[in-house]
Amino acid sequence: MIDAAIVGLGWWGRTIARALASSDVIRPVLGIDPLESGRAEAERMGIATSERFEDALEREDVQAVILCSPHKFHARQIAAAARAGKHVFCEKPLCTTAAEAEEAIAAVRTAGVQLGIGHERRFEPAVIEMRRRFASGEFGTSLLLEGNFSQDKFFALPPDNWRLSPVEAPVGPLSATGIHLVDLSIAFFGRPTEVWARLSTRGSTFANGDTLSVTLGFESGATAMLTAVLATPFIGRLALLGSEGWMEIRDRTHPEQSTGWDVTTVHRGGTPLTTFYPPHPAGRDNLESFARAVEGGEAYPVSLDEMLANVRAFEAITRSASSGRIEAV
């Protein structure tokens, strides 16, 4: 059992605490948040709390920290935790600039600690199956990935919430949901080389935008077309098109409270076949995979190079959304 501190007890930090209540691999023993409201809910779950990030680093019984703090703190918190000998699981995005990510990853490598990342969509059973079947060659050469991860949850946030800030959460739809699709496209296609992005504010007053479209080109020649909107009811879709067929995953509900996925496959000359995949705790699986890697088990399935490629893509998308031009990754 890995004992961990959750840093940041807002919406997602509390979601992680609840998810780990049933885990026999990793458990939260400390919650860190400057706000009393966040600490109060953690204490109701039986978790000790503190206002100070440093307490997570100083406690000998804390082996890992789970960062659910605003993006701007990630690089320095990862580096500080690594220097203290703590393993680090960081919510997405890892960082917002390549320079920050390189600094954080260098600290992790120097300290020899494990780094995990909050891209739990890789751990959904349908996504795992999609990767397996395409890797086997069942659908031929992978040509193009289409992804849409949109929602309207942020309408419930106060206007001064950091998630709506163009400084703390640049290109809002990207840091909220789109970055998961960028990660999945890297998982399928490898290193991205160029990007064109368009950001607008059409259905809200969000200062960091509500509608994002991204086209990513990859070294392999494959392409990803990704969409993230924060001003429409939830829709989640991932489709991978191959030279001999395609596979599409549709979320029935938001993955935070999943009710399962409908998966359609088509082979050349065949008819569509749709299968239901029941809900699964992918977020907990991600954290438990991280914890098992900490204990010397199977390697964590998201490499440091993939994490860095994701941040480089994030930075290039941010530049493209501002410049309107194709930007190199």
Side-chain angles (χ1 to χ4, degrees), residues 138-306:
E138 177 182 343
F139 297 100
T141 301
S142 298
L143 306 174
L144 182 140
L145 182 141
E146 298 175 348
N148 186 350
F149 189 176
S150 300
Q151 65 178 34
D152 56 4
K153 283 176 171 285
F154 285 9
F155 282 119
L157 297 176
D160 60 351
N161 187 280
W162 67 269
R163 294 181 185 274
L164 303 179
S165 165
V167 175
E168 296 195 37
V171 189
L174 174 63
S175 55
T177 57
I179 197 65
H180 285 296
L181 300 177
V182 175
D183 173 67
L184 290 176
S185 67
I186 290 170
F188 281 107
F189 293 152
R191 190 174 75 86
T193 56
E194 58 187 355
V195 62
W196 180 78
R198 183 169 185 177
L199 175 70
S200 59
T201 305
R202 294 182 54 79
S204 73
T205 58
F206 299 159
N208 54 354
D210 62 31
T211 302
L212 174 70
S213 61
V214 175
T215 301
L216 273 169
F218 289 80
E219 198 170 42
S220 64
T223 303
M225 300 176 66
L226 313 177
T227 308
V229 178
L230 298 179
T232 195
F234 173 74
I235 179 173
R237 173 180 178 269
L238 185 72
L240 187 54
L241 284 64
S243 59
E244 298 296 330
W246 54 263
M247 185 171 178
E248 180 194 60
I249 302 168
R250 285 188 177 266
D251 301 77
R252 289 195 171 184
T253 52
H254 193 287
E256 183 186 357
Q257 295 179 315
S258 175
T259 56
W261 301 269
D262 294 303
V263 179
T264 300
T265 56
V266 174
H267 297 87
R268 186 181 303 282
T271 56
L273 174 66
T274 299
T275 305
F276 173 66
Y277 283 61
H280 184 83
R284 191 183 69 191
D285 277 5
N286 188 4
L287 284 151
E288 290 185 342
S289 178
F290 161 76
R292 291 189 182 99
V294 167
E295 292 182 317
E298 187 175 346
Y300 185 68
V302 187
S303 71
L304 296 178
D305 286 344
E306 287 178 316

